[in-house]
Amino acid sequence: MSLAERWLLPDGVKEVLPPRAQKVETARRRLLDLYDTWGYELVMTPLIEHLDSLLVGVGRDLELDTFKVTDQLTGRMLGIRADITQQVARIDANHLSNQGPVRFCYCSTILHTLPANPLASRNPLQVGAELFGHSGVASDVEIISLMVETLNAMQVNQDLSLDLGHVGIYRGLMGEAALSADQEAEYFELLQRKDLPEITRFLAGSGLPESVKTHLTILPTLHGGREVLNKARTCFADVEMIKDALDYLDAVADQISRRYPQLDLYFDLSELRGYNYHTGVVFAAYVPAFGQAVAKGGRYDEVGRDFGRARPATGFSADLKTLVELSALEDKPARKVVRVPAVEDSAALDAVAKLRAQGERVVPMLDETVVEDAQQFTHQLVQQDGTWVLESL
């Protein structure tokens, strides 16, 4: 390996340098303080766990995203977390005895074997919140609202839109269609691409009843404004499970619209992001400045079943580093950056302590002959007539 190659990071792995690192840290504190005011308790999960714990149950969807290593102490396989939700489910199932709703929040680095999308890093700083123990509209609305408030707090809200869906619609159609495993896999793949010509070709040779073909042809076209829900009610009037899912979406949309009348709601009834993971409503937030969702989440009931305590749950997450890149927040107010001589004079040390207590940055000059390029000094502490005073530069 050449010298030039040694300092290169792996593809998709990003580091954060000054001054952006300080902006990310300020944002982290801002959001965790926000979640605290909503009653969400902070958890700090381990970077690495036994692989079977990370990938049990719904965590199996993360297998391809998870780096795997061998534990040198036990020989067991370990995984580096690719998502924090599964870890929070384990905490709710095994470390707490609450019977009612429990709220958690977190902000930690995760690691992906591959980027989630062309714009994503492989080491995002995942920030998010999870609500366990409630299965109704109210908890989904609370989580969606907290996601919107997250973007508002970060000022990532210019022309913000919210994409809503419900996996129960697709599951209802699959229950009606009774496709073979191979047929469902092919239709699912075509549906994610919204490849209407190929869907038509597939259905023409499927041997399915005409009513089922009609339903499966219509599904990928059901995206747009609130009128989509009414159209779906007409098209799927005879499928009860779909009616329940549409009613649920309607109730969520009503409450979100009342809370955030300026928010643009978009419905995509064939949105199956995390299909094997989610059990109900799914949602994602978009802004025109970014080609992917800036935050996303959904309902994943029974997530703790494989940990011995099945509980309904809903939550959202985002990459904090992406939010900082998109944020319109102004930098922190300018503060003094003071250089001081490296002396042991007690009066000088007292003056330095006072300045730092006021929030100013104070840097000792370890070598008076070398200018510290990393600092942009605005003041210096100098001794005048036996007194240490602050002098502008």
Side-chain angles (χ1 to χ4, degrees):
M1 177 182 293
S2 70
L3 182 62
E5 290 175 317
R6 287 178 183 168
W7 58 265
L8 292 176
L9 293 171
D11 289 345
V13 175
K14 301 177 182 179
E15 60 191 354
V16 186
L17 304 177
R20 183 167 296 275
Q22 185 59 53
K23 294 183 70 172
V24 171
E25 174 59 17
T26 299
R28 185 190 70 85
R29 297 177 191 179
R30 176 190 294 265
L31 293 184
L32 293 180
D33 285 346
L34 169 68
Y35 302 157
D36 179 71
T37 66
W38 281 57
Y40 285 72
E41 302 284 354
L42 179 64
V43 292
M44 297 179 180
T45 63
L47 177 64
I48 195 164
E49 286 199 38
H50 290 127
L51 188 63
D52 50 5
S53 176
L54 285 177
L55 302 185
V56 71
V58 295
R60 285 191 295 269
D61 282 0
L62 299 171
E63 184 162 8
L64 292 178
D65 287 331
T66 302
F67 279 96
K68 305 170 182 67
V69 298
T70 302
D71 187 350
Q72 297 300 308
L73 291 178
T74 65
R76 292 182 62 179
M77 289 299 296
L78 304 178
I80 301 173
R81 64 184 177 208
D83 185 73
I84 296 176
T85 297
Q86 189 77 349
Q87 296 180 300
V88 178
R90 173 181 53 74
I91 290 170
D92 179 72
N94 292 318
H95 295 291
L96 299 174
S97 58
N98 306 62
Q99 296 304 310
V102 177
R103 296 167 173 85
F104 300 106
C105 64
Y106 49 81
C107 185
S108 296
T109 296
I110 58 176
L111 195 62
H112 292 159
T113 56
L114 295 170
N117 60 66
L119 299 176
S121 76
R122 291 201 290 163
N123 61 322
L125 182 56
Q126 188 179 42
V127 62
E130 319 280 343
L131 197 164
F132 287 79
H134 186 273
S135 59
V137 169
S139 50
D140 282 321
V141 169
E142 179 178 320
I143 280 290
I144 294 172
S145 298
L146 187 54
M147 182 179 76
V148 173
E149 292 298 339
T150 294
L151 300 177
N152 287 343
M154 291 298 299
Q155 291 187 22
V156 184
N157 53 6
Q158 186 68 36
D159 297 323
L160 180 66
S161 65
L162 179 66
D163 191 341
L164 289 165
H166 197 298
V167 299
I169 295 167
Y170 177 80
R171 290 202 171 114
L173 288 180
M174 290 301 99
E176 175 201 38
L179 301 178
S180 69
D182 288 343
Q183 285 179 316
E184 182 174 352
E186 183 175 357
Y187 178 73
F188 183 92
E189 194 268 334
L190 296 173
L191 185 63
Q192 294 314 286
R193 301 204 315 259
K194 289 186 168 58
D195 191 336
L196 300 183
E198 282 299 304
I199 288 175
T200 300
R201 179 202 58 76
F202 163 75
L203 292 173
S206 66
L208 295 169
E210 288 303 316
S211 61
V212 171
K213 290 181 182 179
T214 299
H215 286 168
L216 297 184
T217 301
I218 289 171
L219 180 61
T221 69
L222 294 175
H223 51 86
R226 195 72 173 266
E227 71 280 357
V228 165
L229 301 184
N230 293 329
K231 183 178 178 181
R233 282 197 174 86
T234 300
C235 296
F236 305 136
D238 53 341
V239 185
E240 188 64 26
M241 183 176 178
I242 293 179
K243 179 181 180 300
D244 292 342
L246 292 171
D247 288 345
Y248 197 97
L249 271 180
D250 233 347
V252 169
D254 278 341
Q255 292 192 34
I256 293 298
S257 293
R258 284 196 294 272
R259 293 186 181 202
Y260 304 100
Q262 78 286 359
L263 190 60
D264 180 27
L265 298 186
Y266 183 86
F267 298 84
D268 187 347
L269 304 192
S270 61
E271 172 54 64
L272 297 172
R273 182 186 62 255
Y275 170 66
N276 295 320
Y277 186 84
H278 289 116
T279 60
V281 66
V282 291
F283 45 86
Y286 293 87
V287 291
F290 197 65
Q292 302 289 335
V294 294
K296 59 187 177 181
R299 175 160 290 280
Y300 41 93
D301 290 342
E302 310 299 305
V303 65
R305 179 176 299 280
D306 291 289
F307 295 116
R309 189 175 185 228
R311 296 252 283 171
T314 181
F316 79 91
S317 65
D319 179 5
L320 182 57
K321 290 185 285 189
T322 297
L323 298 187
V324 169
E325 289 174 6
L326 297 172
S327 176
L329 283 173
E330 298 290 337
D331 289 338
K332 292 178 66 175
R335 60 176 173 170
K336 297 180 179 69
V337 182
V338 184
R339 67 186 186 193
V340 300
V343 297
E344 289 300 311
D345 181 90
S346 59
L349 295 176
D350 288 344
V352 167
K354 184 177 180 180
L355 287 168
R356 286 174 173 160
Q358 294 169 352
E360 312 297 0
R361 171 174 282 189
V362 184
V363 184
M365 294 293 94
L366 301 179
D367 186 341
E368 293 287 349
T369 66
V370 178
V371 176
E372 298 205 13
D373 294 333
Q375 308 294 335
Q376 294 182 337
F377 295 106
T378 62
H379 294 76
Q380 62 183 353
L381 197 64
V382 297
Q383 192 174 37
Q384 294 180 358
D385 300 327
T387 302
W388 289 95
V389 297
L390 202 58
E391 181 181 86
S392 296
L393 292 175

